[in-house]
Amino acid sequence: MSTQACTPETSAPRAAVKPTLMSTVKAYVALTKPRVMELLLVVTVPAMILAARGLPDLWLVIATLIGGGASAGSAGAFNCYIDRDMDRKMNRTKGRPLVTGEISDRNALIFAWVLGIFSVVWMAIFTNWLATLLTALANFFYVVIYTLILKRHSEQNIIWGGIAGCFPVLIGWAAVTETLSAEAWIFFLVIFLWTPPHYWPLSIKYREDYAAASVPMLGVVRARSTVSLQIILYTWATVASSLLLIPVAPMGWTYTVIAFISGAYFIYEAHKLYGKAIRGSEGKPMRVFHGSIAYLTVISLAMALDPLLPAWNQFLPVN
């Protein structure tokens, strides 16, 4: 899942150079897929603020981020272990620690299990049973449902596998309220619908990589124009679902204005990619990929700011 530049493939693992403590630490950090982890944690805090309709207990936020981060890191490490055969065939993943030999398969698997068990125990001690259960389910869904079952066998892998990326919202919400209300499920829906137009541009850009590894990503098994059209449909659905929060939460002017503007930008980029595709050009799929990250980050921040600015938001009629 990482988009970091990869080192060229070598004929043998890097065993000639003795690893330093720093290089070993960096290798284990890379195993957790920190960029994916960062994105997941970005939505957790706004969910907690929205659930509390203000600032939640600081220690609860820190504890939830630690547990959620450990769970996401564990899932990333399991994914690297399971997909190590495919990673050796793709240019964009040849720099991962299990491919280069910086970490042994056995140590990676132990690391993944330790992080996963720690995350569940940590959440059980410092949050509540519902947040703990959701933390365990998130790891299970990403590792078993997505990585082991869907990724190698279905072009719908990202759609249903993306559910794992929606769990941080529910975990954060449950940590604060010990329940899951309609607002939490709407935020869940936003991320569920956002995941395909986030990852499918990546499958267009790295089509040859995924094909070499026999991964049936939509960008491999379908024409570029078909994938781009699907991106448009899911982008519109994402933006529409984000607007459901306005009457349901309800949200104020801060979120409303930002959701409309950022949504319009996301939709524009998706249509632009499709326009290029139907004219036979690849366009700039990574622009949509990075734009999707910006979109989710912005509306998540808007969700966090909205409950904290009551003086401004009180002028919206729904409040």
Side-chain angles (χ1 to χ4, degrees):
M1 299 285 178
S2 172
T3 59
Q4 291 175 316
C6 300
T7 56
E9 184 178 18
T10 57
S11 56
R14 299 174 188 171
V17 179
K18 185 177 180 180
T20 64
L21 176 61
M22 184 59 67
S23 66
T24 300
V25 170
K26 287 182 178 179
Y28 275 101
V29 170
L31 204 62
T32 66
K33 297 189 175 183
R35 289 188 177 182
V36 176
M37 188 192 305
E38 288 170 10
L39 192 59
L40 295 178
L41 296 181
V42 158
V43 302
T44 303
V45 175
M48 297 182 76
I49 294 175
L50 188 58
R53 300 306 300 186
L55 291 175
D57 178 75
L58 180 59
W59 168 244
L60 181 62
V61 173
I62 294 172
T64 304
L65 291 178
I66 291 173
S71 178
S74 169
F78 272 119
N79 179 268
C80 286
Y81 174 81
I82 295 166
D83 286 351
R84 63 194 186 282
D85 60 323
M86 296 192 302
D87 288 344
R88 293 186 175 97
K89 300 175 183 178
M90 298 196 293
N91 289 323
R92 58 180 288 268
T93 56
K94 287 178 181 176
R96 287 182 176 171
L98 292 183
V99 179
T100 62
E102 294 171 275
I103 299 175
S104 69
D105 293 351
R106 177 177 178 275
N107 287 346
L109 187 58
I110 293 173
F111 178 67
W113 275 109
V114 169
L115 268 185
I117 294 171
F118 168 80
S119 68
V120 173
V121 173
W122 177 273
M123 294 294 284
I125 294 173
F126 294 108
T127 60
N128 56 64
W129 72 268
L130 181 56
T132 302
L133 175 62
L134 291 169
T135 300
L137 283 176
N139 203 327
F140 172 83
F141 206 98
Y142 186 78
V143 175
V144 178
I145 305 301
Y146 172 66
T147 305
L148 285 174
I149 299 176
L150 293 173
K151 186 173 182 179
R152 298 174 187 246
H153 304 106
S154 173
E155 66 181 53
Q156 303 294 311
N157 49 20
I158 286 300
I159 297 177
W160 302 109
I163 290 176
C166 307
F167 272 96
V169 169
L170 302 184
I171 293 169
W173 199 282
V176 173
T177 66
E178 296 189 50
T179 60
L180 294 175
S181 63
E183 298 96 317
W185 288 111
I186 291 174
F187 199 177
F188 178 99
L189 180 64
V190 170
I191 300 175
F192 173 73
L193 295 170
W194 166 90
T195 302
H198 169 62
Y199 278 110
W200 281 340
L202 205 64
S203 74
I204 295 175
K205 175 68 175 179
Y206 296 103
R207 179 188 180 99
E208 294 181 1
D209 262 7
Y210 286 119
S214 300
V215 182
M217 289 291 184
L218 199 67
V220 175
V221 300
R222 301 293 178 183
R224 188 182 298 119
S225 58
T226 301
V227 182
S228 299
L229 179 58
Q230 290 295 311
I231 289 173
I232 285 178
L233 296 176
Y234 273 91
T235 300
W236 273 97
T238 300
V239 175
S241 64
S242 73
L243 301 180
L244 290 175
L245 275 176
I246 297 173
V248 173
M251 307 299 284
W253 280 111
T254 303
Y255 177 81
T256 302
V257 172
I258 292 175
F260 271 102
I261 293 176
S262 59
Y265 164 76
F266 194 13
I267 290 171
Y268 168 76
E269 289 295 341
H271 277 273
K272 191 175 178 180
L273 181 66
Y274 178 68
K276 293 285 187 179
I278 61 176
R279 290 193 290 271
S281 170
E282 180 177 288
K284 297 179 178 180
M286 295 306 290
R287 184 178 176 89
V288 179
F289 173 77
H290 292 297
S292 68
I293 296 175
Y295 167 78
L296 186 62
T297 302
V298 167
I299 65 164
S300 296
L301 290 175
M303 287 183 198
L305 284 173
D306 200 272
L308 304 179
L309 300 173
W312 164 254
N313 289 325
Q314 67 180 345
F315 297 105
L316 192 63
V318 295
N319 280 344

